C-alpha cells in the first residue's frame, strides 16, 4: 500500500489508526524489552519482568475488555 493510501486511511479514522499504530509499537517494545531483560537482568531482580508482565496484561485487557465495551456502548 502506498503512503498516500495510509494517509487517507489515517484521515478517515484517526482514532482507530492511532490505536492500531500504538498497539504495534507497544508489541514491538514489549518484544525488545523481553530480550533486553533476558540478556541483562539477573534472575533475582523481578522488577523488569514485573513491568513487562503488567504492561502486557494492561494491553490485553484494553483490547479484550475496554475496546469491545466502548464499541458496544457508543457505536
Amino acid at each position: 500500500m502506498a503512503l498516500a493510501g495510509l494517509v487517507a486511511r489515517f484521515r478517515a479514522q484517526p482514532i482507530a489508526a492511532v490505536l492500531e499504530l500504538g498497539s504495534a509499537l507497544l508489541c514491538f517494545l514489549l518484544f525488545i524489552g523481553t530480550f533486553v531483560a533476558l540478556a541483562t537482568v539477573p534472575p533475582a531482580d523481578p522488577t523488569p519482568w514485573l513491568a513487562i508482565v503488567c504492561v502486557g496484561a494492561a494491553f490485553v485487557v484494553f483490547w479484550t475488555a475496554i475496546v469491545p465495551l466502548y464499541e458496544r456502548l457508543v457505536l
Side-chain angles (χ1 to χ4, degrees):
M1 179 176 281
L3 184 60
L6 289 174
V7 171
R9 291 180 79 183
F10 182 81
R11 286 185 181 163
Q13 296 180 338
I15 294 173
V18 168
L19 285 174
E20 293 291 334
L21 290 174
S23 294
L25 179 64
L26 182 62
C27 287
F28 178 73
L29 291 175
L30 283 171
F31 183 73
I32 297 300
T34 300
F35 280 103
V36 168
L38 279 171
T40 61
V41 176
D45 185 18
T47 306
W49 293 109
L50 184 61
I52 290 169
V53 169
C54 288
V55 170
F59 176 74
V60 168
V61 167
F62 177 76
W63 279 110
T64 59
I66 296 172
V67 170
L69 183 63
Y70 173 78
E71 289 176 349
R72 179 170 279 190
L73 293 176
V74 175
L75 301 178

